[in-house]
Amino acid sequence: VEAFTASVHFDARLYREDIAGSRAHARMLARQGIISQAECDAITAGLDAIEAEIEAGTFQFRPELEDVHMNIEAALVERIGDAGKKLHTARSRNDQVALDLRLYLRRRCDEIAGHLLDLQRALVRQAEANLGRIMPGYTHLQRAQPVLISHHLLAYVEMFERDRGRITDCRRRLNQSPLGAAALAGTGLPIDRHAVAAELGFDGVTANSMDSVADRDFALEFLASCAIIQVHLSRLAEELVLWASTEFGFIELADAYCTGSSIMPQKKNPDIPELIRGKSGRVIGNLVSLLTTVKGLPLTYNRDLQEDKEPVFDSADTVAASLAITAELLDHLRFNHKRIEAAVTAGFMTATDLADYLVGKGIPFREAHGVVGRAVAHCLERGCDLADLSLAELQRFSPVIEEDVFAVLTPAGSANSRISTGGTGLEAVREALAATRQRLDACTR
Amino acid sequence: VEAFTASVHFDARLYREDIAGSRAHARMLARQGIISQAECDAITAGLDAIEAEIEAGTFQFRPELEDVHMNIEAALVERIGDAGKKLHTARSRNDQVALDLRLYLRRRCDEIAGHLLDLQRALVRQAEANLGRIMPGYTHLQRAQPVLISHHLLAYVEMFERDRGRITDCRRRLNQSPLGAAALAGTGLPIDRHAVAAELGFDGVTANSMDSVADRDFALEFLASCAIIQVHLSRLAEELVLWASTEFGFIELADAYCTGSSIMPQKKNPDIPELIRGKSGRVIGNLVSLLTTVKGLPLTYNRDLQEDKEPVFDSADTVAASLAITAELLDHLRFNHKRIEAAVTAGFMTATDLADYLVGKGIPFREAHGVVGRAVAHCLERGCDLADLSLAELQRFSPVIEEDVFAVLTPAGSANSRISTGGTGLEAVREALAATRQRLDACTR
Amino acid sequence: VEAFTASVHFDARLYREDIAGSRAHARMLARQGIISQAECDAITAGLDAIEAEIEAGTFQFRPELEDVHMNIEAALVERIGDAGKKLHTARSRNDQVALDLRLYLRRRCDEIAGHLLDLQRALVRQAEANLGRIMPGYTHLQRAQPVLISHHLLAYVEMFERDRGRITDCRRRLNQSPLGAAALAGTGLPIDRHAVAAELGFDGVTANSMDSVADRDFALEFLASCAIIQVHLSRLAEELVLWASTEFGFIELADAYCTGSSIMPQKKNPDIPELIRGKSGRVIGNLVSLLTTVKGLPLTYNRDLQEDKEPVFDSADTVAASLAITAELLDHLRFNHKRIEAAVTAGFMTATDLADYLVGKGIPFREAHGVVGRAVAHCLERGCDLADLSLAELQRFSPVIEEDVFAVLTPAGSANSRISTGGTGLEAVREALAATRQRLDACTR
Amino acid sequence: VEAFTASVHFDARLYREDIAGSRAHARMLARQGIISQAECDAITAGLDAIEAEIEAGTFQFRPELEDVHMNIEAALVERIGDAGKKLHTARSRNDQVALDLRLYLRRRCDEIAGHLLDLQRALVRQAEANLGRIMPGYTHLQRAQPVLISHHLLAYVEMFERDRGRITDCRRRLNQSPLGAAALAGTGLPIDRHAVAAELGFDGVTANSMDSVADRDFALEFLASCAIIQVHLSRLAEELVLWASTEFGFIELADAYCTGSSIMPQKKNPDIPELIRGKSGRVIGNLVSLLTTVKGLPLTYNRDLQEDKEPVFDSADTVAASLAITAELLDHLRFNHKRIEAAVTAGFMTATDLADYLVGKGIPFREAHGVVGRAVAHCLERGCDLADLSLAELQRFSPVIEEDVFAVLTPAGSANSRISTGGTGLEAVREALAATRQRLDACTR
């Protein structure tokens, strides 16, 4: 039974939050005259000592005391006697655990937001370093149109920007102190919830004591935000795996991020991106886990809620590590421009440009498509690309075609012609890059 | 193959968004001189007529045209000829479908936020109607402390308030126009993305064309918000099912929301809450579905993404209907105060109050617990409750107890003594109720 | 990077399987003349010593050696030199890890099947102990018809019987040796896969080397079977929580399985059932996790698959512990027959019996319902139950009613009349109980 | 309310099962003397007529009658009067709906098993047609060792073989008739459950009435089996998408299974495999949906269970269609042997073979790796492959190398040398293919 119900083997991770919360609580109790200043001093000194012991690794957590809260309280009473017993006045494990988890998640939200920022910066560095370089843009994993490598990388910067927004919203929403909800109904003692909240850096206090101890939607929101981040990472990882294959050959990962084969020194397995992609499973699974656990629970606290912590810890760890290592990986990744350039000059990727060119000359869109289709079919027969046709040959498909057509038939011509806001044209990308750089520089980490 | 790939049987629901987007796109094309004003007029008139037909139910969607976009475009060309073919200039199905889904979700976000508000108001109405009434507060489904019915109901108001915040954040984040991303790379035609965005009520345009057509994180965020809402609803539903049981007997649901039994006229099955609770499964499943689909997809558009719409439609429908019907249900629910009062006077639910009382008299918290435990054990033996003991008897357990103890030993005394912010005391609840009422009144629907 | 990719902190749990597999592999290599007998002897002695060290807790696993396989191999080479280097001949980590996981799961399948059996037996013991006792049977958590407590308990025995079948099917399907698949393509060395398989207790060898190292459907099947088991447990747990509430009051859980309250000695929180119910979340989450991870992976081994072990370990541990503790809990649970009997005599639960009685007298089913409805309405007005009406009064609702009607209007009369196979009648239950007892007794554990 | 609770818009799909069940029930009632033969005849004739109407599309399902069961019963009473009212004797909607769903799933299990078989046969046809052809075998999406195309395809045959086993086990386990469980407790009427079961093709009757109406684990098992199938399909789909890319260029999909681009006639989007891969999301989501719905439900029937049908229908439809279209796709797929051969001759994929060769000459495994690593590094410098080195050059790396080494240094030599059971050697594959062909031929469809 003890082994089944104890949680200290995982919730010991909350010790810092637990002690910070207790310190603030004790100070408030003293200010409100509920305990004496001497008692408060004994408590905070005791807590300081316990925290130091835990950090030094000399504190002995005991499973028979069930959880981190009881372990610390018991150690306090052992250390300072009766005053220690007064610490739990006007609070309950129910609001204490809700407090600790909120404090913990707030810290992890900040950490993950920081990792997101680091990763965005790494992407921007690569985008800057490769500015002007062109690669195939894909739909359906088929080569579709030439794009700037920088543009491709900036697509991910946008995804992680929204991720940062979600984590920030989550942090804002959870940053309300539940302490003072007590077991479920509040307390009759003259506590000052606002003071505790302020000391702990909360934006305010929760408005309803039953909600405070019953709900974990803040943890669900955190887990959902993590799941979306890891899915974004899984897409980047998939691309890295593809690009590192012999068939694509677009990038070379640094040795440190691969396992090699002792007998095939040229072979580099992209283990890190594979693991990151694979770990999307656990982060989604963690979300499902807590959603399912909370489903159908009556108010207020039910022991089922003890299951809230492990998925939260695991998703936070996984996402933080995956973000950090992806940023590192990107900084040590080399684009193989020779292979990329070869890829971008084959495959009629400028066909849409020819169609757009015709539209610009007044041909209706759907008709322009027909013209280009016939020209491409002709090239396929001849074994050449569109840019290899002469003006005269091109004009056989449409008389409106003029000398200026060649400006859009090369990969660079094609890509750079896409000057619409957010498009892949060099000017558009340069602007986007500058704006992004500025935006990220404004963020402090 | 056609049956397997066609989506018009579900994406026809996007017709309104598709037509609105096309109208705005056509007007911009004309303003930019890409098509003529006459062509634009023909297009918008044609779209108006098609929309009217669809709304009248006379439009024939054809699966061989695959999706709603091609169905409408084909009908337009049939109707107005060549001008119709020009509508698709400078856009692609990839940015068109992203646009439609964002417009659609924006509308559903507003709708769900409205339903959340309605439900909060219904909860507030019941909280107001039952102000002062006391019921058992539970932890572990065990009676723990007396609370106000209103306080219990306001706990849900808080949950739905955060849900409203999440849906609002989701709406804000998705309200960027992707139109102009074209297939993936933007376009070389002189379009004005900002103008289209403004006409369609967007806050701005997306910053990267590849991201615009590749990502669906806005749909994931919507699905996650819906999942949390439905989990909240499942908890309220669970409580309604419990309360409607013979064993609890706390409420009576209106006949319209139950199925009866022809042979047991007194029996009322709480079908609606059961269905709402059960439907948490599908709303969580929908979230898993899209998370899994997007996992590991390389940029940009892959046909896998066609799977984005059905979960989104289903979750939006389910959550909207569940919220609406829960609000109705609450308005037609009667609390059975006789049963509730009987429940609240048994079970030593004021034991914590006695402990708090002792703490107020200077007894350390953990010791006070021991005193009360002995008093309760004594009552159990005698078959009475704490309030039934005389002062002298009580003083046998602790000499600090005085006459004023009886003020906290009744359910009302207990509940109303919990005056801490967010607590269940009548004054605290009255304030919370007033603040909530004011906050909700300030929201327009 | 090392911290991110290392798995030895969790896959060390496979040491026993890893060593058993290596031993069998070495013996086969020797028999086939690929290594010498002396080398084989050195290897098996070395492995024995390493296993002993691990079991004694003196073996030092090193994260820089990544996983359990490399840790053991490195220790072997350190210990016995060159011969150790030959152990890995004709195998690869890819087939080795597949082998270890299959061996491990086979063991856990047997263990879980055993726990299922124990739980079934505990249910049967309670069913036997309470044979003849009647309780309310519920639909929609509304009292519907009287049933035997034993019958209710036997419903769970059936669920766990199918669970046992699923786990057994899973075990049978996975019991094929993948060793010899090598990295992915098999080997040219003259190995004997069948001999290794036989030594390790497999039913045969896998038929395709690429499938052998690429697929984890056996782990998925295991996780799915676990999820269904835990969902079944969550239903039993929900009932225990309900029954332990003051409102139901049907059971008393033993103190060891509850947390009490120091101030409310009568209060017992059903922590164990709550945790079991809550843990359904993690077991479902683990299944989702691996399904998502495997989705979309090309053949053969990808590092994503390293994510297969933690969900498998966690689900096996959770399900095994939940089953074991539920069996214990049931053995120490007391039914509160006074409360149950009071519950069963109220609520017109014999109304269906009266209807069946009328049908037996030739009244069409749907009409009989009308008759009973009117009779019950009459009782509601008078404040009595059906059994309290006189024959004359009953005959006013239908002239076909005779004296024998009273035999079905009492809870016992009602329940015991349901003699259909699988029904709740005492005779039917006695038979079912005997058959179940016999079936379970025939299983050895 | 009606719209929220009605299910006839989806459960109408069960009409055939519902009518078959009613027919068998009526005949049993007549045989047992519970209704007259004339009534039975009227009922079965009425049901025949209703079935014909439904199949002709002229039957009007009415949502106000809620579900398929009530619609058919109401139509029957309308048509044949009083006798129709007797059909529901000794049964309840609770056992009726359980019966219908089991009958339905049994049919879909058979159908899916058939589709699995068809797909296996299509894979075998391609394996036979390409026997002897060699392609790169991958780990980590890196070229690792040459394998036979047939061997790669047979890996999937094995996966689908286990899938077929799972579906068959599921069918066997669910093939027990629940009819006669009535509402939850069985019935007192002298029914013959075994006769009904036999008539409907069941293997027996369920053993406990409460379990019969309360549990849906058979649906969960079906959904889990479907999820694993679709995950298998997603892997094959991923490979098809990769192979169809310009970078791989291994296959050409038939036009019918792709969407083209009007302007890039050479471009073929692999829409079908993408959709199949994407649909793994919904099939996993459906499983999560029902697992979550059933979690924590007390016995017996709760309205939540109405949510069982939509996920079951959707997964059955999705998996059946995905299997069928994948089989078709494979029959119309062309391997591009020129590209594949080019891929297989580059990349040192025979390095392991050289290592195995050395081991065969007595070099310890880990040392052999070192030798090969040095040889490969030498080749990399010289820009050649291992097979391009002369014997003398090779001997510089190890004196044990002899002329016969060249037999394993070519792709074919390498692949065909892997003669271990289940390996990729031509002989091993030829045997595996013959055995598979025989096994599948023995299955009737």
Side-chain angles (χ1 to χ4, degrees), chain B residues 138-140 142-143 238 242 244 247 262-263 265-269 274 292-293 295 347-348 369 376, chain C residues 138-140 142-143 238 242 244 247 262-269 274 292-293 295 347-348 369 376:
Chain B
Y138 295 81
T139 58
H140 308 265
Q142 297 282 316
R143 292 180 189 166
E238 169 84 3
L242 289 175
E247 285 73 13
S262 57
I263 55 172
Q266 90 293 355
K267 202 186 168 201
K268 289 192 196 173
N269 295 329
E274 287 175 285
T292 308
T293 294
K295 175 239 168 180
F348 304 100
H369 270 212
V376 169
Chain C
Y138 295 81
T139 58
H140 308 266
Q142 298 283 315
R143 292 180 189 167
E238 169 83 5
L242 288 176
E247 286 73 14
S262 57
I263 56 172
M264 292 186 272
Q266 89 293 355
K267 204 187 167 200
K268 290 193 196 172
N269 295 328
E274 288 174 285
T292 307
T293 294
K295 175 239 167 180
F348 305 101
H369 270 213
V376 169

Side-chain angles (χ1 to χ4, degrees), chain C residues 132-164:
Chain C
R133 298 288 198 166
I134 293 169
M135 68 181 294
Y138 295 81
T139 58
H140 308 266
L141 204 63
Q142 298 283 315
R143 292 180 189 167
Q145 295 176 343
V147 297
L148 268 65
I149 291 179
S150 311
H151 191 58
H152 192 130
L153 295 170
L154 284 173
Y156 284 104
V157 174
E158 289 303 307
M159 296 184 208
F160 296 124
E161 183 71 15
R162 288 188 298 274
D163 285 328
R164 212 150 51 88

Side-chain angles (χ1 to χ4, degrees), chain A residues 155-420:
Chain A
Y156 285 104
V157 173
E158 289 303 307
M159 294 183 209
F160 296 123
E161 183 71 16
R162 288 188 298 275
D163 285 328
R164 211 150 51 89
R166 269 182 287 267
I167 279 287
T168 307
D169 287 348
C170 173
R171 183 214 198 275
R172 172 177 45 77
R173 211 174 340 265
L174 67 75
N175 199 29
Q176 303 288 327
S177 172
L179 208 68
L184 76 155
T187 175
L189 295 167
I191 60 171
D192 181 351
R193 295 185 60 204
H194 295 281
V196 176
E199 179 168 345
L200 292 168
F202 284 110
D203 297 331
V205 301
T206 55
N208 182 288
S209 60
M210 295 181 78
D211 170 53
S212 304
V213 296
D215 201 18
R216 291 295 185 271
D217 62 357
F218 62 92
L220 292 172
E221 183 175 351
F222 176 79
L223 290 171
S225 304
C226 285
I228 299 177
I229 294 172
Q230 197 75 19
V231 164
H232 281 155
L233 286 169
S234 81
R235 303 186 71 169
L236 179 51
E238 168 84 6
E239 299 207 311
L240 295 175
V241 170
L242 289 175
W243 295 349
S245 70
T246 305
E247 286 73 13
F248 279 79
F250 287 2
I251 56 167
E252 193 152 338
L253 296 171
D255 289 359
Y257 303 96
C258 299
T259 52
S261 159
S262 57
I263 56 172
M264 291 186 272
Q266 89 294 354
K267 203 184 169 204
K268 290 191 195 173
N269 295 328
D271 295 85
I272 300 283
E274 288 175 285
L275 274 172
I276 289 169
R277 184 178 59 185
K279 282 176 190 296
S280 56
R282 77 195 299 150
V283 182
I284 294 174
N286 287 334
L287 170 60
V288 170
S289 172
L290 190 56
L291 280 168
T292 308
T293 295
V294 178
K295 175 238 167 181
L297 290 188
L299 302 190
T300 57
Y301 183 78
N302 301 281
R303 190 70 182 259
D304 315 55
L305 292 179
Q306 179 172 314
E307 293 287 311
D308 60 356
K309 274 170 280 306
E310 284 162 294
V312 154
F313 293 164
D314 188 67
S315 281
D317 291 349
T318 303
V319 166
S322 299
L323 286 167
I325 209 160
T326 302
E328 259 192 62
L329 190 79
L330 282 171
D331 276 337
H332 297 87
L333 170 155
R334 217 176 44 73
F335 282 94
N336 188 344
H337 289 297
K338 216 190 274 184
R339 288 292 304 270
I340 296 174
E341 267 157 39
V344 92
T345 44
F348 306 100
M349 280 192 293
T350 59
T352 333
D353 300 275
L354 181 53
D356 283 355
Y357 174 89
L358 293 169
V359 167
K361 301 279 182 179
I363 313 287
F365 185 73
R366 292 285 179 204
E367 271 181 31
H369 269 213
V371 169
V372 179
R374 285 186 293 277
V376 169
H378 173 76
C379 290
L380 278 172
E381 231 165 80
R382 276 200 34 203
C384 68
D385 209 305
L386 286 169
D388 303 324
L389 299 180
S390 69
L391 180 59
E393 284 173 305
L394 281 165
Q395 284 172 337
R396 251 186 276 149
F397 297 98
S398 171
V400 307
I401 298 178
E402 293 174 79
E403 189 60 40
D404 60 346
V405 74
F406 292 103
V408 301
L409 291 188
T410 60
S414 159
N416 294 329
S417 75
R418 302 189 185 279
I419 52 169
S420 56

